Structure formats: C-alpha cells, structure tokens
Amino acid sequence: MPGSGFGRRQLSLVERLARTIAAGGPMTLAQYMAQVNAHYYATRDPLGTAGDFTTAPEISQMFGELIGLALADVWMRSGRSQQACYVELGPGRGTLAADALRAMEKVELHPPVHLVETSPVLRGRQQALLPHARFHDDIDSLPADRPLLVVGNEFFDALPIQQSIRTAEGWREMMVGLGEDRPFAPMAGERPVDARVPQPLRDAPEGSIHESAPAGAAIMMGLARRLLRQGGIALFIDYGYEGPALGDTLQAVRGHRFADPFADAGDNDLTAHVDFTLIGNAARQEGLKVCGPVGQGEFLARLGIDARAQMLARSAPDKVEEIEAARRRLVDADQMGTLFKVIAVVHPDWALPEGFGPEGFGPEGEAA
C-alpha cells in the first residue's frame, strides 16, 4: 500500500542526526552525545575482549568483592538496617553486583537488588546473572522508604557534557554540525556562555575549552536528597580530575582503541573525564558528607586487595600470574590506580567508609 511504510529502509543514526542538523542547524555537544550513547548502549554489549572496553569488575572478582565489603562495613557500623537495598547505576553485565553481593553474604547482609539500566541488551545480561533484581530507568523509581547502598562504576563518564570554547568574541557553546571529511564536526556556536565558565578561568587563551556536566550533577543531587531522607551511602568509581580545569576530554573508544568521536556515530562509546569537585559539591549542597576522591589503587590497597590476592592465589595456584596481573592492573599508577578515582557520599548520621584514610576527610567528614 502506498505510504504504508512496508519495504522502507530504516535510517541509520548517522542519517537521522544529519537530517536533524540539516533541518534545524547544529545541535549542542550534549545533545549529540546523549543521542549517540543512547543508541550505542541500546544495541550491544560493549564489554570484554570482544567488545570495545573492559571495566574493573571484568578484570577481577577482587574489585567487586572489596566494594561489597566496603558497603557492608558502613552498613554494620551504621545500625545494620535490615531494609537496606543494594543499588547500582549503570551495572554493565552485573558482574560487580554479583561479586559485591557474594561478599555481603559473608556478613549476613542480603539486600534486595535494584539496578538502574536503560539498555535492553545489558538488562538481559544482568537478569541472567541476577534473576531477582528489579530494574529502573532512572533513580526516581528507586525505593523511597529504606536506606540505599549505592555503587556506580564508570557511570558518570558516559553522561552528556557541555563544552564551552573561548573565541575572539568570548565563550561560546560547543556545537556539532555537518562535517566535510567526516559526517559531523565540532564548532563554536553563537550563544554567549561566559557565565557558565568559573571566574578564574574566563581569561583563558582563545581556543581553550571548559567542560561542565549538568546531567551528572543533577543525578548526584537527586540521589543525595534520597540518601539524606532515607539513609545510606553511595560509592562512585570513575576516571577524572578535580576541577575547575580547562581541557577537552571528550573521547571515543571502539575495539579497545581510541576513535574519532564525530565518525561512526552510534558505533563508538563516547565518554568524558569526570569532574569530581562538581560531583562532590552537588552532594554537599544537599547536606551529605563527602569522602575523597582518592585514587582507585590507594582505595583498594586500604581495603586489603593485596591480602585478597594472596588468598585467591593460595586457592588457585595455577592462576597466580593471572591474579597478580589483575591486581597490578587495578592498582598500579601506570594502569588504573591513579587516573581512576573513588568518591563516597554518605548520610550525615552514617559511619564513614574505609578506604579513604584520615587525610581524605575534613573536620566534618568532607574531602580535605
């Protein structure tokens, strides 16, 4: 039938984005990143050697076990609420959750599991590993009547960012338009955004880039409000820095190699480094205690990863080299130990987590 749509070829993401830009002009980088990553995660399992990247939980069970024990320790020292939930944001294949929950069982903590995940492909992997988990599209539908034990590993880095670029006329929004030698290209927009850039950075040289992450800050503020009302703790592990700072950290990864963020849209994973100062301030604004950030290597070492590695090696002598290689990858400064950082946000009446050290806290449990 004419106009029925049968037999029509479905447009690719690149074609849809190109038509949108051709009709309405360049879109913001945040809009571009949101659409690209939504398509990317909805259509594949990107993890593992056959995928595009490998996260810490996939490297070794030690990572998830120590995270689980850290959360359980805070739970025990904060009153052992039997109603506490385990919540994970962006749980990948569910590997971290499975390892964390197994460790929690050692101290008789058996929390119901709530996973915030929008990808149908990854939900399928998580459901197979964690059949009793409940799924959520966002934090708004999480339980509102009990404490939350929250973890997010490489969650904030995949959220959309805004970029501002210094031009001869002042700071302008970074936009994405049609490219010449590739489908899309970044370009300075016309709208002034000087107020978005922290005052100490506004006189930066022409061409400088400042990044902000309102989506990440909004999620942290929403989660912080819940933790303040309900009790609990959230641990976040990601790669990033302590701002304010200048620099373009947008990157794309495909097949474990860096790729062009503006080519092959929807087939590359787009991420940006996390501003831990922004994330921490969003939680402080809502009244939570903030610990860190500290390097992942330092954090795991304080939680006892060396002893855990030795224990695993004794029980599996044929895997000693594999276990030691995994430990080094997680903690060494030239691997994941320094670039990846850990931050905790905690209800003001709950115990502070281990792993940060006394120098990680200010006079009221805030980052020093």
Side-chain angles (χ1 to χ4, degrees), residues 144-212:
D145 59 349
R146 62 198 64 191
L148 305 177
L149 307 175
V150 184
V151 62
N153 181 63
E154 294 195 48
F155 171 74
F156 283 110
D157 66 89
L159 298 178
I161 62 165
Q162 296 174 333
Q163 281 189 346
S164 306
I165 182 169
R166 179 69 189 273
T167 70
E169 292 75 32
W171 290 92
R172 297 293 184 268
E173 176 102 43
M174 185 71 81
M175 309 294 287
V176 177
L178 299 177
E180 295 182 0
D181 56 351
R182 53 183 173 170
F184 308 105
M187 58 188 63
E190 298 179 358
R191 184 168 68 90
V193 291
D194 299 70
R196 181 191 295 169
V197 180
Q199 187 65 49
L201 304 179
R202 288 185 190 171
D203 291 332
E206 189 174 334
S208 297
I209 290 177
H210 174 261
E211 295 180 343
S212 56

Side-chain angles (χ1 to χ4, degrees), residues 47 53-58 63 67 86-92 96 150-158 235-239 296 330 336 340-342:
L47 294 158
F53 55 87
T54 301
T55 59
E58 305 295 330
F63 183 83
I67 294 296
Y86 175 89
V87 175
E88 188 167 344
L89 311 184
L96 191 163
V150 184
V151 62
N153 181 63
E154 294 195 48
F155 171 74
F156 283 110
D157 66 89
L235 279 175
F236 291 103
I237 310 96
D238 228 311
Y239 51 89
Q296 176 178 292
L330 291 172
M336 301 176 73
F340 281 77
K341 296 176 174 60
V342 186

Side-chain angles (χ1 to χ4, degrees), residues 43-228:
T43 55
R44 74 205 68 210
D45 175 356
L47 294 158
T49 55
D52 293 324
F53 55 87
T54 301
T55 59
E58 305 295 330
I59 293 171
S60 171
Q61 69 186 71
M62 295 183 288
F63 183 83
E65 289 171 345
L66 291 174
I67 294 296
L69 290 175
L71 293 173
D73 174 67
V74 172
W75 168 77
M76 287 189 293
R77 291 186 289 116
S78 302
R80 289 178 172 264
S81 168
Q82 293 302 316
Q83 300 300 315
C85 294
Y86 175 89
V87 175
E88 188 167 344
L89 311 184
R93 292 174 169 172
T95 306
L96 191 163
D99 292 337
L101 292 165
R102 186 177 63 253
M104 288 177 171
E105 291 177 357
K106 303 296 184 182
V107 295
E108 299 182 353
L109 174 57
H110 307 276
V113 180
H114 294 262
L115 306 178
V116 179
E117 178 63 71
T118 58
S119 166
V121 176
L122 291 175
R123 277 194 181 190
R125 298 296 299 265
Q126 296 154 15
Q127 186 75 64
L129 196 58
L130 305 160
H132 301 297
R134 293 187 58 185
F135 291 95
H136 305 265
D137 291 331
D138 52 46
I139 65 171
D140 293 341
S141 60
L142 290 172
D145 59 349
R146 62 198 64 191
L148 305 177
L149 307 175
V150 184
V151 62
N153 181 63
E154 294 195 48
F155 171 74
F156 283 110
D157 66 89
L159 298 178
I161 62 165
Q162 296 174 333
Q163 281 189 346
S164 306
I165 182 169
R166 179 69 189 273
T167 70
E169 292 75 32
W171 290 92
R172 297 293 184 268
E173 176 102 43
M174 185 71 81
M175 309 294 287
V176 177
L178 299 177
E180 295 182 0
D181 56 351
R182 53 183 173 170
F184 308 105
M187 58 188 63
E190 298 179 358
R191 184 168 68 90
V193 291
D194 299 70
R196 181 191 295 169
V197 180
Q199 187 65 49
L201 304 179
R202 288 185 190 171
D203 291 332
E206 189 174 334
S208 297
I209 290 177
H210 174 261
E211 295 180 343
S212 56
I219 290 174
M220 177 58 92
M221 291 175 69
L223 184 62
R225 293 188 194 106
R226 281 181 165 272
L227 291 174
L228 189 64

Side-chain angles (χ1 to χ4, degrees), residues 281-317:
N281 286 342
R284 287 189 188 92
Q285 183 175 324
E286 299 303 321
L288 296 192
K289 295 183 290 188
V290 178
C291 310
V294 299
Q296 176 178 292
E298 184 179 350
F299 178 75
L300 294 176
R302 285 176 171 152
L303 291 181
I305 192 172
D306 292 346
R308 181 56 178 150
Q310 292 169 8
M311 186 181 302
L312 289 174
R314 286 194 297 269
S315 63

